[in-house]
Amino acid sequence: MKFIAITLIVHRPDPLTGVQKPTHDRFGEVLDNALLAEELGFDGFGVGERHERPFISSSPTVVLSHVAALTKRIRLFTAVTTLSLLDPVRAYEDYATLDHLSNGRLDLIIGKGNGAAQRELFHVTPEDQWDRNAESYEVFRQIWRQDKVTAETRFRPPLTDAEVWPRPYQRPIRVWHGSATSKESVDLAARYGDPLFSANVTHPIEPYAELVGHYRERWEHYGHDPAQIAVGAGTAGIYVAPTSQEALAAYRPIFESNLAFFKKAGLPVVFETLEDFVERSSALIGSPQQVLDKVHRYHEQFGHTVLHLHADAGGLPQSQHRASLELFQSKVAPVLRREIPDPPFVWGPVLAAPPLTQESAHV
């Protein structure tokens, strides 16, 4: 199993102190967390894309470019690239450039995105966002693979023998499809034989497991080898402590503050108590053994081989957050790496075989 740390770069007051960091400091915290993830042995670091408050993750390519310059090994993820809002040509140019700057350490997770404010900002409607997402991905995919592209499009000017530069480093890049609430994204992933990443952060497991099951059905419907399926899954929070009592005591103020924030903002509340949150959500809060047991329970439903954890402290003191991640990496991750397989592909740059030259043909 592989592990990635992800941030949506939420920018709101600290759940406990009520103090909101300056924007500059919040970005610095993201960079520090990326370095921590690499130091602790995480396999990937992801940055979301949202275009509305309380997020400041509107430019993931810029943030990931900086992370690429600071790190050496860790793979870089988008979480998610909101293709329904973007021009696929411009998105390709940005990500192909980042692909080179990171030496092929880039994976994409794409999706239509959530939130009414960002839809309004880009003049995207609930009725057309899935069509926009599918069209943008098809064009993006074509540009990544072909030197010249012709495409009849509805949501941007059509392309005729268009050349888009730079040509990519990875050929092709690996694209995951983010899945949260709808079968459209699941079907799009299965159609192209792409891996799926279940959001798995807001509700109990059942609706997410149903979508993963549908993905597996559609994968076989489209004629792909079931052995090549790769599924990732998210988590709603993390705090690992030596005992369950310590974990609950440390996380309770965070949960209660977040619960009050959701209620004040008029957001739906799924879990009314910390105990229910720990039991029925995907959050990994407890002792190492409790976390191991929970990941295995979810694996029985999802069959996932990649797990994402929160990169941000989320209100915990940074020392506690670090201690939690260190405990996860020392006591939980090694066991999961042994007991759950990796994805069915090389965790590294996706590089096409070099062209056969006249000289190599005689070797």
Side-chain angles (χ1 to χ4, degrees), residues 116-135:
Q118 63 181 11
R119 283 200 306 268
E120 293 171 4
L121 186 65
F122 289 90
H123 295 276
V124 174
T125 70
E127 293 73 27
D128 70 18
Q129 62 183 350
W130 281 116
D131 290 339
R132 287 177 178 271
N133 183 66
E135 177 182 290

Side-chain angles (χ1 to χ4, degrees), residues 38 49 51 55 88 137 171 178 214 218-219 224 239 243 246-247 259 313 316 318 322 335:
E38 178 160 89
E49 180 183 338
H51 300 270
F55 308 95
Y137 177 54
R171 293 178 178 266
H214 184 68
R218 298 305 291 171
W219 179 278
H224 304 302
Y239 187 68
T243 67
E246 290 174 88
L259 180 64
L316 290 166
Q318 191 62 34
R322 181 186 180 107
V335 178

Side-chain angles (χ1 to χ4, degrees), residues 5 28-45 67 70-71 73-74 310-313 317-327 329:
E29 188 175 61
V30 170
L31 300 178
D32 289 342
N33 287 336
L35 289 169
L36 177 63
E38 178 160 89
E39 175 192 340
L40 295 182
F42 279 85
D43 303 291
F45 183 82
V67 172
L70 295 175
T71 58
R73 173 196 58 80
I74 199 165
H310 287 203
D312 298 314
Q318 191 62 34
S319 59
Q320 278 188 299
H321 178 57
R322 181 186 180 107
S324 169
L325 295 183
E326 287 177 340
L327 191 56
Q329 286 289 23

Side-chain angles (χ1 to χ4, degrees), residues 105-120:
R105 286 191 283 143
L106 179 63
D107 272 43
L108 296 181
I109 307 176
I110 68 163
K112 68 170 178 57
N114 294 313
Q118 63 181 11
R119 283 200 306 268
E120 293 171 4

Side-chain angles (χ1 to χ4, degrees), residues 2-3 8 34 58 71 102 104 107 142 144 170 185 238 274 291 329 346:
K2 300 293 187 183
F3 305 98
L8 300 181
S58 57
T71 58
S102 66
D107 272 43
Q142 193 176 350
W144 204 282
Q170 296 187 86
S185 57
I238 181 169
L274 175 61
V291 170
Q329 286 289 23
V346 175

Side-chain angles (χ1 to χ4, degrees), residues 165-337:
W165 299 93
R167 300 312 300 147
Y169 183 81
Q170 296 187 86
R171 293 178 178 266
I173 194 170
R174 184 176 300 112
V175 177
W176 303 68
H177 295 248
S179 166
T181 59
S182 176
K183 292 181 177 179
E184 281 89 345
S185 57
V186 166
D187 189 82
L188 188 65
R191 187 190 320 164
Y192 285 110
D194 293 332
L196 186 76
F197 217 108
S198 174
N200 188 40
V201 294
T202 306
H203 300 283
I205 191 172
E206 289 79 12
Y208 303 112
E210 182 180 348
L211 286 172
V212 172
H214 184 68
Y215 168 69
R216 294 180 181 276
E217 292 172 9
R218 298 305 291 171
W219 179 278
E220 294 195 42
H221 169 81
Y222 287 116
H224 304 302
D225 180 359
Q228 297 305 308
I229 284 178
V231 174
T235 55
I238 181 169
Y239 187 68
V240 189
T243 67
S244 61
Q245 293 83 357
E246 290 174 88
L248 289 173
Y251 204 84
R252 189 175 301 279
I254 307 298
F255 174 82
E256 292 177 349
S257 177
N258 287 334
L259 180 64
F261 174 82
F262 292 152
K263 289 181 175 180
K264 184 177 180 180
L267 299 172
V269 173
V270 179
F271 307 103
E272 289 279 359
T273 67
L274 175 61
E275 287 71 18
D276 190 34
F277 181 65
V278 170
E279 176 62 28
R280 294 195 305 123
S281 84
S282 60
L284 302 178
I285 300 167
S287 68
Q289 188 59 53
Q290 286 175 309
V291 170
L292 282 168
D293 291 344
K294 191 167 195 179
V295 173
H296 274 294
R297 289 203 307 272
Y298 271 72
H299 183 259
E300 289 174 2
Q301 297 289 317
F302 290 161
H304 59 305
T305 53
V306 180
L307 182 70
H308 95 48
L309 305 172
H310 287 203
D312 298 314
L316 290 166
Q318 191 62 34
S319 59
Q320 278 188 299
H321 178 57
R322 181 186 180 107
S324 169
L325 295 183
E326 287 177 340
L327 191 56
F328 178 88
Q329 286 289 23
S330 63
K331 299 296 185 182
V332 178
V335 178
L336 294 175
R337 290 187 193 277

